[in-house]
Amino acid sequence: MSDVQRPGADWELQFVIAGCVEKRLPIEIVGSGSKRAIGRPVDGVVTITTASLRGISLYEPNELVMSARAGTPLSQIEAELAARGQMLPFEPIDLGPTTGGPQGSQTIGAVFATNMSGARRVLYGAARDHLLGVRGVNGRAELFQAGGRVMKNVTGYDITRGLTGSWGTLAALTEVTFKVIPWPETSVTIIYLGLPDNLAIELLSAAMMMPVEVSGAVHLPAPVAARLNHPGLKTLNKSITALRLENFASAVAGRKQRLKETLKVYGKALELEHRETLEFWNELRRLSVMPHNRQTLLWRISTKATTAPKLVSAIKRYMPAEAYYDWGGSLIWLEVPSAADAGTAEIRRVTAIHGGHAMLIRAEPAVRAAVEVFQPLSPPLERLTRGLKAAFDPAGILNPGRMYANL
Amino acid sequence: MTLSRMPEPDRAVLDRRDSIVKDLEALIGVDGVISEEEGRRAFEADALTAYRQAPLAVALPRSTEDVSKILRYCNQNGVRVVPRGAGTSLCGGALPTADSIVIGTSRMNRVIETDFINRTITVECGITNLAITDAVSAEGFFYAPDPSSQLACTVGGNVAMNSGGAHCLKYGVTTNNVLGLKMVLVDGEIVEIGGAYPDSEGYDFLALVVGSEGQFGIVTEATLKIVPKPESARPVMLGFSSCEAAGQCVAAIIGSGIIPVAIEYMDRPAIAVCEAYAKAGYPLDVEALLIVEVEGYEDETTRLLRDIVDIARSFDPQVIEASTSAEHSARIWKGRKAAFGAMGRISDYYCMDGTIPLARLPEVLSRIAQICAEHRLKVANVFHAGDGNLHPLILYNANDQDESNRAELAGAEILKLCVAVGGCLTGEHGVGIEKRDLMEVQFSPSDLAVQMRIKSVFDPGWLLNPGKVFPLSVLEASGERPAADQAA
Ligand SMILES: Cc1cc2nc3c(=O)[nH]c(=O)nc-3n(C[C@H](O)[C@H](O)[C@H](O)COP(=O)(O)OP(=O)(O)OC[C@H]3O[C@@H](n4cnc5c(N)ncnc54)[C@H](O)[C@@H]3O)c2cc1C
């Protein structure tokens, strides 16, 4: 890393990128850099940080909308929202701790650039579902905007959402506008103990087929549950299958009874009241059960909930693995021993058989440079991917190689 | 109402009409191609009926493979293609050109798979929106986006337009409910994007394709989320003596932390027309009527309606009527749901679709009244108030050319107003040909360039759904078509 640029205004960012376009200098875009340890390492000659693009430019609590400059720390956004009894619906996950970085250092731009959503996604949708508008500069040094600040907007193609999950390879965002929601009055967590993976996923699915609006549905096999910080839960030596309800108090109480009635065949349920519920899900949000560890790698696999346990046991035939299931089972965080190829061949083959996609989240830089970190694409998708990249960044200077080699 | 110009048809293609029809028949069978005048006329317009143009021919594929064959052929022969579902587009999205093949999806309407445990359904693109909910309702589920046209419109059209509905305040619009798509690209290649699992791999192509107005490819299958149906849903009617009071009440409800499933707004002229038609029991002496619906278990909806009525009382409502039974709920909704039909019985109307920040509602409504008065036209407003999506209905006589043109001009001014107050040209109906020439009001040249280059990625020759979305002048000046990208 060499030259670090800290533009403080859209035009400055545009100016810096224009200079790089002219000299063909590759750029690495970082927010706070909290996810730098993820993805393929970027060879940037110029580093552009959004750290000086800070501040909340619009907040209308009565319209559930906020705009912020891309470098605004997530912690600041969440504090402002909390002061008005509101929150981000998708509970963005913090990968800092698990990748060996600091906790809570994410920027709002990076949250959308990586589309990293947390447990509440099962009810409200992903980060991408809540992004309403963006401003940014592409690899042609053009300043552009897309979307807007209103909830419903189909004017032109949906570039806004199309940029989520592009990891800074299409454009550097300078401002994002997104939808927020009110904090629920209260919450509860219902926990079932000792279920094997397949029964646990069956339980989570049964709960989510009911109109009780489950807002968190996770399963932690016993060895993973033992890593929790929660003093009561970590010492049980049992798997933990947890459901969260959030609503006004009487609705939470009524729905909890309905759930417990339907799920009673799975055993007796423990309950975490509101404050403990906040702590439990905050812990999961930091991925505390998959702590940083140089001896292991971390994969993130997206699949159908009902196939998830089979997928995990299929991988276990090839290597030791610990899984933590989120999103009712449709998201697997998988920890496997370090290996030069990160277990890529087996993990990708098994995932292909069961349907879904896998991304390598944590590995040493040498490993990340050597294997395909993001899911390889089908030939037509790859062709479209190259086309899209060229449309935004024809010289290939924005985060080159971050998602795919030669792109 | 014919101010938008369509691109010139390609003479050479028109001259080859007979041989093109023969080739298509050879590809998908004689019964899959409509070529005679009368048959083609049935496809000459969508719900923006002022614009009409019969296509060169119509192809009715039965499978993804059929679609692939047709597109490969059209691409090789430089023939333009217009995808079409049910033709309920209100923006001319499915309007053909004289040299284009319409690909109609009506024969592709099967449910392919329902998976209640994972809460997904996979369907062919020509199935109607309502048929999806019908396929899952016995098990207690529904498909959330519910455009008022849901009896007729297809999921392919919904995907192309990113359609919304009355319930999208809570459940989101089409893009929030699509997990995967199968699509045929312009060269006939079949691509699968996403699937029955969360997050599509790589770039978010689902996001780009949903809302691409039939210009990126032909969607043949969709995997969608289905949602468990709440035990009960109940509306309350709130009548106010001013639109300010109604607008403030909406803001206060949302600000209080309650997110209703729907908040619908009607102004005095709209109330009168709907009431005359549907006998819903609407008050005729209020300036604004809100229908606020909440859902959940029986005891919860009772409590939520009580909270909403408490909030409303601070805004001095003239009328408060909470639903007490399923029949009562149906009656309250009947008028609003019939709004377009009711209006259509008394006059031709032009339905606008801008979105505004809610706080600007009073000033926008008074400006709309002023604009229409200046053009000597009447207007009625229905409005998805929870998300700021306005539907001013401008009344006019379609047989009077001058009045039609005035309606179109007034509509354009209203949409410019929506943009000026921080909103947008279209909240759910799409750009099509109708709002195409206003795109420069909302977007700068570089904003539009970014969009047009994406079109070129999917369709380098710009053969798919020509003449829509971008002003022809901008397109012609951009040099964007046909070569995909010369830079680098
Ligand atoms: C009375 C009435 C009420 C309405 N209410 C609403 C409402 O509440 N909310 C709302 O959002 N809209 C509403 N609409 C608008 C309209 O119904 C929607 O835009 C709908 O999604 C169009 O679906 P369709 O099948 O009729 O598509 P069409 O009108 O046939 O086509 C619409 C667009 O989709 C493209 N298209 C169609 N099928 C495909 C495919 N398989 N692949 C690629 N592109 C395709 C076409 O090229 C065209 O650009 C309403 C319309 C009417 C007439």
Side-chain angles (χ1 to χ4, degrees):
Chain A
M1 213 192 306
S2 52
D3 190 10
V4 179
Q5 299 285 335
R6 300 178 144 257
D10 291 5
W11 68 265
E12 278 182 62
L13 175 67
Q14 191 180 10
F15 183 77
V16 173
I17 294 183
C20 296
V21 172
E22 199 174 306
K23 302 195 194 95
R24 300 257 161 165
L25 298 178
I27 299 168
E28 179 178 15
I29 301 165
V30 301
S32 64
S34 67
K35 294 178 200 67
R36 255 169 126 183
I38 311 162
R40 295 173 44 86
V42 173
D43 280 331
V45 174
V46 177
T47 300
I48 299 180
T49 164
T50 58
S52 298
L53 290 167
R54 272 192 195 216
I56 291 167
S57 28
L58 173 125
Y59 180 25
E60 293 282 353
N62 289 345
E63 294 177 27
L64 306 175
V65 61
M66 180 182 266
S67 303
R69 319 218 62 208
T72 312
L74 179 60
S75 52
Q76 182 185 341
I77 305 255
E78 296 198 310
E80 294 275 344
L81 287 172
R84 300 296 301 263
Q86 298 188 332
M87 63 181 184
L88 291 175
F90 53 91
E91 202 176 14
I93 200 151
D94 184 356
L95 293 174
T98 194
T99 50
Q103 177 182 316
S105 71
Q106 285 163 291
T107 61
I108 191 70
V111 165
F112 287 106
T114 58
N115 189 31
M116 285 285 170
S117 322
R120 203 180 277 114
R121 192 226 160 119
V122 290
L123 181 61
Y124 288 106
R128 54 94 78 183
D129 289 300
H130 298 90
L131 191 61
L132 301 173
V134 294
R135 290 169 66 80
V137 179
N138 62 15
R140 300 168 186 255
E142 289 168 337
L143 181 63
F144 67 94
Q145 52 120 1
R149 57 156 290 194
V150 287
M151 296 296 148
K152 269 169 89 183
N153 185 348
V154 296
T155 322
Y157 307 142
D158 194 353
I159 312 287
T160 305
R161 243 177 273 285
L163 289 173
T164 56
S166 64
W167 291 78
T169 61
L170 298 178
L173 305 178
T174 61
E175 185 173 78
V176 289
T177 300
F178 44 93
K179 187 178 171 180
V180 302
I181 56 168
W183 266 105
E185 186 179 302
T186 190
S187 62
V188 70
T189 302
I190 309 173
I191 293 180
Y192 293 83
L193 297 175
L195 296 174
D197 294 4
N198 57 344
L199 280 186
I201 301 305
E202 186 186 287
L203 176 153
L204 296 177
S205 301
M208 286 192 295
M209 289 169 78
M210 296 172 65
V212 294
E213 300 179 310
V214 169
S215 73
V218 298
H219 173 64
L220 291 68
V224 175
R227 298 170 178 175
L228 281 166
N229 295 321
H230 189 286
L233 297 175
K234 68 181 294 174
T235 50
L236 293 173
N237 260 331
K238 286 192 171 138
S239 74
I240 286 180
T241 309
L243 294 162
R244 176 173 58 185
L245 294 175
E246 301 178 295
N247 217 308
F248 57 90
S250 60
V252 164
R255 291 174 182 213
K256 182 180 75 184
Q257 284 319 319
R258 289 185 162 91
L259 257 182
K260 286 169 69 175
E261 182 56 33
T262 304
L263 302 177
K264 62 179 183 235
V265 293
Y266 296 97
K268 210 168 113 42
L270 297 182
E271 281 175 32
L272 304 181
E273 42 68 52
H274 184 51
R275 225 178 48 82
E276 274 190 300
T277 289
L278 291 177
E279 284 168 15
F280 177 75
W281 295 91
N282 266 334
E283 198 184 316
L284 294 181
R285 202 180 153 186
R286 298 190 307 268
L287 227 61
S288 67
V289 294
M290 291 286 161
H292 184 61
N293 178 344
R294 286 191 194 286
Q295 269 65 60
T296 60
L297 309 170
L298 186 64
W299 284 84
R300 182 179 182 273
I301 304 174
S302 188
T303 187
K304 259 190 217 182
T306 47
T307 53
K310 289 175 239 167
L311 193 156
V312 169
S313 34
I315 290 174
K316 282 183 175 169
R317 286 207 288 275
Y318 300 102
M319 62 191 89
E322 298 293 355
Y324 151 46
Y325 301 84
D326 196 352
W327 300 349
S330 57
L331 181 69
I332 307 163
W333 295 95
L334 193 78
E335 187 187 67
V336 299
S338 283
D341 79 334
T344 309
E346 291 82 6
I347 289 174
R348 287 257 156 74
R349 191 171 64 242
V350 169
T351 305
I353 291 167
H354 291 81
H357 52 94
M359 176 178 173
L360 176 60
I361 293 287
R362 183 185 69 224
E364 293 298 313
V367 176
R368 284 184 283 127
V371 307
E372 300 229 54
V373 166
F374 286 79
Q375 176 75 20
L377 302 170
S378 67
L381 267 186
E382 177 166 352
R383 181 157 66 86
L384 292 174
T385 297
R386 291 195 179 281
L388 195 63
K389 172 73 174 174
F392 278 87
D393 178 22
I397 57 171
L398 297 181
N399 279 355
R402 172 96 208 200
M403 290 180 78
Y404 305 100
N406 310 317
L407 195 114
Chain B
M1 195 180 283
T2 45
L3 301 179
S4 297
R5 162 174 76 92
M6 285 302 277
E8 284 302 313
D10 184 336
R11 276 260 135 241
V13 170
L14 294 180
D15 292 344
R16 271 160 40 220
R17 188 163 160 250
D18 291 344
S19 75
I20 291 171
V21 166
K22 280 221 164 49
D23 292 341
L24 289 175
E25 286 174 348
L27 286 174
I28 63 165
V30 177
D31 72 333
V33 182
I34 299 174
S35 57
E36 85 291 1
E37 165 87 21
E38 199 181 323
R40 286 185 290 125
R41 284 263 164 251
F43 295 84
E44 69 182 2
D46 55 25
L48 185 69
T49 51
Y51 288 88
R52 291 174 189 278
Q53 172 61 59
L56 193 74
V58 179
L60 301 173
R62 291 185 189 280
S63 65
T64 301
E65 289 64 36
D66 278 356
V67 174
S68 167
K69 285 184 212 161
I70 303 166
L71 281 181
R72 185 174 306 121
Y73 172 84
C74 289
N75 190 45
Q76 279 166 358
N77 290 278
V79 178
R80 289 165 169 163
V81 169
V82 176
R84 181 182 176 105
T88 66
S89 170
L90 288 166
C91 64
L95 177 73
T97 53
D99 59 352
S100 62
I101 303 297
V102 164
I103 299 188
T105 58
S106 55
R107 292 182 178 173
M108 298 177 64
N109 58 4
R110 283 181 313 138
V111 171
I112 296 169
E113 189 190 356
T114 45
D115 180 346
F116 295 106
I117 299 179
N118 290 297
R119 301 172 310 287
T120 65
I121 184 169
T122 301
V123 295
E124 287 185 326
C125 62
I127 193 171
T128 64
N129 174 291
L130 193 60
I132 302 169
T133 287
D134 287 346
V136 297
S137 63
E139 300 282 333
F141 288 86
F142 69 107
Y143 174 59
D146 57 342
S148 322
S149 51
Q150 66 180 163
L151 195 62
C153 68
T154 66
V155 72
N158 294 173
V159 165
M161 291 313 193
N162 191 12
S163 301
H167 291 81
C168 61
L169 183 56
K170 177 166 176 190
Y171 294 104
V173 294
T174 301
T175 196
N176 309 112
N177 290 277
V178 173
L179 293 167
L181 294 174
K182 186 183 272 189
M183 182 166 88
V184 183
L185 299 171
V186 70
D187 61 1
E189 186 162 24
I190 298 165
V191 59
E192 296 200 36
I193 309 174
Y197 44 78
D199 300 331
S200 53
E201 51 266 52
Y203 290 146
D204 198 338
F205 284 110
L206 277 183
L208 293 174
V209 170
V210 178
S212 62
E213 303 207 7
Q215 296 199 307
F216 287 5
I218 296 200
V219 173
T220 58
E221 290 177 17
T223 299
L224 310 164
K225 270 192 226 174
I226 52 174
V227 185
K229 209 168 19 200
E231 182 180 86
S232 100
R234 285 170 63 198
V236 55
M237 284 200 290
L238 303 165
F240 297 90
S241 58
S242 74
C243 72
E244 284 84 357
Q248 285 162 4
C249 181
V250 173
I253 292 170
I254 293 175
S256 78
I258 301 173
I259 300 192
V261 229
I263 308 183
E264 293 293 313
Y265 177 112
M266 284 182 270
D267 70 358
R268 187 190 269 266
I271 299 166
V273 173
C274 293
E275 178 58 18
Y277 177 76
K279 309 277 181 295
Y282 293 165
L284 295 170
D285 52 353
V286 297
E287 286 306 318
L289 184 69
L290 297 180
I291 301 176
V292 184
E293 180 158 275
V294 296
E295 59 176 31
Y297 291 95
E298 220 38 80
D299 50 326
E300 298 169 4
T301 54
T302 307
R303 134 101 201 242
L304 284 170
L305 285 187
R306 201 181 58 223
D307 288 355
I308 287 170
V309 167
D310 283 347
I311 293 167
R313 282 194 207 284
S314 349
F315 303 97
D316 200 16
Q318 318 290 102
V319 173
I320 299 175
E321 185 181 322
S323 157
T324 51
S325 66
E327 298 74 60
H328 194 180
S329 301
R331 185 162 61 71
I332 290 175
W333 273 114
K334 193 173 161 211
R336 169 60 186 90
K337 288 198 169 156
F340 291 4
M343 199 61 74
R345 289 204 329 164
I346 62 161
S347 170
D348 299 311
Y349 67 86
Y350 181 33
C351 176
M352 313 306 301
D353 175 46
T355 307
I356 58 162
L358 187 59
R360 310 295 292 268
L361 179 66
E363 92 187 75
V364 168
L365 287 182
S366 76
R367 273 293 294 144
I368 288 176
Q370 221 176 346
I371 290 168
C372 291
E374 280 163 18
H375 288 86
R376 291 170 285 129
L377 294 164
K378 291 207 173 92
V379 64
N381 286 287
V382 295
F383 177 33
H384 305 297
D387 40 37
N389 190 191
L390 284 175
H391 291 316
L393 305 175
I394 304 174
L395 310 188
Y396 75 103
N397 176 359
N399 295 322
D400 178 337
Q401 190 58 44
D402 175 60
E403 199 167 306
S404 301
N405 288 345
R406 277 187 275 131
E408 204 166 358
L409 292 170
E413 271 190 57
I414 290 172
L415 294 184
K416 286 181 190 165
L417 168 68
C418 292
V419 175
V421 299
C424 66
L425 296 173
T426 172
E428 58 181 15
H429 295 167
V431 177
I433 51 162
E434 184 212 6
K435 293 152 212 129
R436 183 190 76 188
D437 294 321
L438 294 171
M439 287 289 274
E440 288 166 287
V441 176
Q442 190 173 329
F443 295 111
S444 74
S446 58
D447 302 340
L448 288 176
V450 165
Q451 298 192 31
M452 290 189 298
R453 285 188 206 112
I454 298 179
K455 161 72 170 166
S456 290
V457 170
F458 283 87
D459 179 17
W462 285 65
L463 292 175
L464 291 168
N465 214 4
K468 318 289 164 65
V469 184
F470 302 104
L472 295 189
S473 55
V474 171
L475 193 54
E476 282 154 8
S478 75
E480 190 49 45
R481 59 198 285 225
D485 190 76
Q486 305 92 343

